[in-house]
Amino acid sequence: VLANAEQNEAPQAFRFGAAGIGLCRTEHMFFDEPKLTSFQKMIISDSTEERKKNLDKILPWQQKDFFGIIKTMEGRAVTIRLLDPPLNEFIQAKTDAEAQSLAKKLDVDVAVIKAKFADLDEHNPMLGHRGCRLAITYPEIYEMQVEAIALATAEAEKKGIKHDVRIMIPNVTTVNELKQIREQAEAVIAKVNKEKGTKLKFQIGSMIEFPRAAATADQIAEYADFFSFGTNDLTQMTFGFSRDDYS
C-alpha cells in the first residue's frame, strides 16, 4: 500500500504501514513563498526567456523539496507527479480587489492580471489546458521540475542516501503527449548526469485519468514504465458528470 503524501506527511504514512509514496503532488509545493510569487511572475510572462528566468528562481527550492522527500523516504519508492492543475489556480483575480492585490504584489498593471486571468480561466471540469498539455505549451515548466528531481537525486546519491524515485506525467490522453514529454525529460536527466558525473535512471510513467487513455493504454504503455489510475477524473468523464455539479 502506497500513500498520497508530501514530505511532512511521509513519516506519519510510514507509521501506518505505507510501503512508499505512490503520489507526491508537486503543485502543493508552489503555494509556498517565495516560490508562489516567482511562479505567478512566470505565468504572466509573455516570453519563454522571462518564464525560464522565473523558473530558475524556483529550481533550487524545488531541489530542496525533493531532496527532503528522498531523504525522508529512506530508500522507499516515491512517485513524484509533475505539475498537474491548470495555471488559473495560481492566479486568483475573480474580483477587482483580488486583481488589484495581485497586481501590486507582482508590480504590474491590473489590466495585465485581468487579461491573464480571463485567458487562463477554465471551468467544468477543468481538464483541458493542464498537466501534460500545459507542459507541451510551456515545456520549460516540466524541464525545471525534472532537473530539480535529478539534481536532488544526484545529491542524495553523493551523500550515500538510498533512493527510488519515479516520475509521473499527468493527464495523458494520447501516446504522442507522453512520447514527447518523456523525450524532453530524458534529455534533462542526461544533462544532469553529464554535469554531475552520475548515471541516474528514473522510471517514467503516467496516470490514467481519461477514458481515451484507458482505451489506448496499449499504445501509451510503449512509453510508460508504470501506470497509476486517477479514479476521480476517470469516474467523472466515464459517467459524464463533474464532481462540482452533482451531489
Side-chain angles (χ1 to χ4, degrees), residues 6-7 10-15 18-21 66-78 156 159-165:
E6 283 74 60
Q7 181 183 350
Q12 182 178 357
F14 297 154
R15 286 197 295 273
I21 302 301
F66 294 140
F67 177 77
I69 292 169
I70 294 167
K71 185 177 180 180
T72 303
M73 293 303 110
E74 299 176 347
R76 298 177 180 88
V78 53
K159 294 181 177 179
I161 298 171
K162 294 181 180 179
H163 54 82
D164 182 3
V165 182

Side-chain angles (χ1 to χ4, degrees), residues 174-184 186 223:
T174 70
V175 62
N176 288 331
E177 292 170 334
L178 181 59
K179 179 177 183 291
Q180 178 175 328
I181 295 175
R182 180 178 186 125
E183 289 172 352
Q184 292 168 345
E186 289 177 334
Y223 297 93

Side-chain angles (χ1 to χ4, degrees), residues 154-218:
E155 182 182 356
E157 188 161 286
K158 183 179 179 181
K159 294 181 177 179
I161 298 171
K162 294 181 180 179
H163 54 82
D164 182 3
V165 182
R166 303 160 190 192
I167 299 171
M168 180 190 292
I169 299 169
N171 287 128
V172 168
T173 58
T174 70
V175 62
N176 288 331
E177 292 170 334
L178 181 59
K179 179 177 183 291
Q180 178 175 328
I181 295 175
R182 180 178 186 125
E183 289 172 352
Q184 292 168 345
E186 289 177 334
V188 172
I189 294 165
K191 170 176 165 283
V192 172
N193 277 331
K194 184 176 181 181
E195 291 175 352
K196 299 298 181 181
T198 51
K199 297 181 180 180
L200 301 175
K201 292 183 179 180
F202 297 89
Q203 291 188 48
I204 299 176
S206 180
M207 182 178 281
I208 301 296
E209 304 164 83
F210 290 81
R212 179 183 173 87
T216 61
D218 58 332

Side-chain angles (χ1 to χ4, degrees), residues 44-230:
I44 66 172
S45 298
D46 291 324
S47 68
T48 301
E49 182 181 350
E50 280 296 313
R51 285 192 293 272
K52 286 185 176 181
K53 180 180 177 181
N54 285 294
L55 287 168
D56 284 344
K57 295 177 182 177
I58 301 173
L59 176 61
W61 293 99
Q62 278 272 272
Q63 181 181 343
K64 182 180 179 182
D65 288 334
F66 294 140
F67 177 77
I69 292 169
I70 294 167
K71 185 177 180 180
T72 303
M73 293 303 110
E74 299 176 347
R76 298 177 180 88
V78 53
T79 300
I80 300 174
R81 184 177 71 184
L82 303 182
L83 187 70
D84 175 57
L87 294 182
N88 66 296
E89 292 197 3
F90 298 91
I91 298 289
Q92 296 302 316
K94 291 182 180 179
T95 66
D96 287 342
E98 288 177 334
Q100 290 170 2
S101 176
L102 186 57
K104 182 178 180 180
K105 175 186 178 184
L106 303 182
D107 194 25
V108 297
D109 192 279
V110 68
V112 173
I113 299 298
K114 288 185 176 182
K116 182 60 68 171
F117 179 77
D119 181 51
L120 295 174
D121 196 24
E122 289 195 35
H123 298 281
N124 178 25
M126 287 202 312
L127 292 171
H129 197 203
R130 65 182 285 187
C132 67
R133 283 173 297 289
L134 179 65
I136 288 172
T137 305
Y138 305 117
E140 52 271 16
I141 298 176
Y142 277 11
E143 288 172 353
M144 180 277 289
Q145 288 195 293
V146 172
E147 184 174 1
I149 292 170
L151 287 171
T153 308
E155 182 182 356
E157 188 161 286
K158 183 179 179 181
K159 294 181 177 179
I161 298 171
K162 294 181 180 179
H163 54 82
D164 182 3
V165 182
R166 303 160 190 192
I167 299 171
M168 180 190 292
I169 299 169
N171 287 128
V172 168
T173 58
T174 70
V175 62
N176 288 331
E177 292 170 334
L178 181 59
K179 179 177 183 291
Q180 178 175 328
I181 295 175
R182 180 178 186 125
E183 289 172 352
Q184 292 168 345
E186 289 177 334
V188 172
I189 294 165
K191 170 176 165 283
V192 172
N193 277 331
K194 184 176 181 181
E195 291 175 352
K196 299 298 181 181
T198 51
K199 297 181 180 180
L200 301 175
K201 292 183 179 180
F202 297 89
Q203 291 188 48
I204 299 176
S206 180
M207 182 178 281
I208 301 296
E209 304 164 83
F210 290 81
R212 179 183 173 87
T216 61
D218 58 332
Q219 298 173 35
I220 295 173
E222 294 182 24
Y223 297 93
D225 298 317
F226 65 87
F227 281 157
S228 293
F229 289 89

